[in-house]
Amino acid sequence: MSLHRVTSMSSCEQVRGSSPARSEHKNMSFNPVGTWVPPAAKEEPFRALGVSKGKRILQVALAVTYCLFAAGIVFGYAAIKPVLVKEGVYREYCSEEAEIKDPTKTCYEQEIRLNLMFTIAAVATNCVALPVGTILDKYGPRISGMIGSILLAIGALLFAFAAQLPFDAYIPGYIVLALGGPFVFISSFQLSNTFPQHSGLILALLTGAFDSSSAIFLFYRLIYSASNETFTPQKFFLIYLIVPVSIFLVQIFIMPHNSYKTVGELITNAESAVDEDQSNSYGTQDTEEIRQRQEQRRQHREGVVSEMTSLLGKSGNKQQELDRKKQSISGVWGALHGRSALEQIKSPWFILITLFTVIQMTRINYFVATIRTQYDYMLHDDQLAEQVNHAFDVALPAGGVLSIPFIGLVLDNFSTTFVLALLVTGATTIGVLGVLPDVWAAYANVALFVLYRPLYYTAVSDYAAKVFGFHTFGKVYGLIILTAGLLNLSQSGLDAMTHKVFKRDPLPVNLILLFAVSIVGSMLVGFVWHQSRHMKRDQLEEEAEETPDTPIPSATSTNGIA
């Protein structure tokens, strides 16, 4: 699952036709009721000032807490995989020859099935963002959160009783856990509108909770080991049912039924309500009644403005100025704004970023699923490989949290070309470290990987917002992630190639992915750099054309001669 960070526009802009799966500092559109109609027909828009400050703080705190326990737990796969191996999950598929050779290690058949469980779950997490957005728009965050809690409960039950069920419940259980996370996580984004002046902080807290949630399986593995392996997966997942039950109750009794509105939505909805009400009544009212209605409209607008001022504080104008500065720094802001989604999808802007995302997402998930087996082969020491695996389990959630402020600084203060070049450089460095059979390289690879992963996901969504715009963001960015997610199924093929063709040696596959991402990434950076130069030149030409001509005083006029 990725962090959907996009650059904010004006604090009063209302975004239409974009996916709620994104996060922005001021412009998040989660409108579950569609087009606004007068209050007589539908309920008043859900305003932040209509809820006490204490309750809003409680809602944000609870959302951060349950996202910490549920949003992205499936990405802690590297931590729970050793537990599943010790519990003998899929061991029945191993041949007698493999059992005799080394009963403590996974055989090919077991490794493939375990990794397939994570691969499909990762694909499901990416692909479910689109239907989550649709349900969120239509039914609101409460229903979305309740659906997520039900899915989490089903997944936990399947995993708890998988050993007793007459069918393979591990893969469907893990998939359902993966599906429940985005419902809970994405439906929480609208809470950034509870305190618009602090929306960036709220989104950072939610994102940090998502990244940290992968540590849940790490803590379970530690408890499992400390209990001499008596704290079985069944006991853990039965206790884990407390989480989805709590989320369900919180959605019913504390969370809002409708999404909190953005500043732009509140102003637009208020104007539309008064305009429609007036258009329906002017035909039957005399002049005095019309004058009274106009006065009511003026007072209503003043009330809305007062409410927005209270919510935003004194930072509204400052935020707009900062947004304009960020757009200028980007160098590619508005490259395809105003184009149809089809035109954008057919452009090199889309094709190149999609290819880069497909390759890099495959590399990331392949590394998460196979880190233990890779370093077991390269270091020729199972204990060293286990230590690297344990370091990765701790660093993955910690890196996601620690990198949040630095990601914002990079994306807001450097051009998109520089950010993409940084991504390609980081990907190449990780690839080189990943093929070195040394302990120091293994730990350096882990350290860089856990910092790179959140930057990569955030930068891709930031690129999509700046280049394609907000009106088609949901379709275009959703298609990028959907395509990458579906093609991530090739990870099973990479596993099979590593075990069967290359005899467990991960070097050839890692080299193939390294060269692929370097070539495609270089093409992407080169294209964006070339286009940004043209955009800058065109902008200067337009500014020159718009500058009014200033007549040069004649020599005779200067000397006072007629």
Side-chain angles (χ1 to χ4, degrees), residues 110-128:
Q110 183 183 22
E111 182 77 13
I112 288 296
R113 282 172 173 79
L114 286 172
N115 291 346
L116 180 64
M117 180 176 70
F118 172 71
T119 300
I120 299 177
V123 171
T125 302
N126 291 321
C127 296
V128 78

Side-chain angles (χ1 to χ4, degrees), residues 36 45 47 265-275 300-301 304:
W36 172 256
R47 299 181 180 180
E265 285 176 320
L266 285 174
I267 292 176
T268 303
N269 289 346
E271 289 178 343
S272 301
V274 176
D275 288 343
H300 189 81
R301 274 192 58 84
V304 171

Side-chain angles (χ1 to χ4, degrees), residues 48-84:
L49 286 185
V51 181
S52 68
K53 183 178 180 180
K55 185 172 183 178
R56 283 181 279 146
I57 292 175
L58 178 62
Q59 289 172 338
V60 173
L62 288 173
V64 171
T65 301
Y66 62 62
C67 283
L68 179 63
F69 283 91
I73 59 170
V74 294
F75 291 100
Y77 170 78
I80 199 173
K81 182 180 177 181
V83 176
L84 299 179

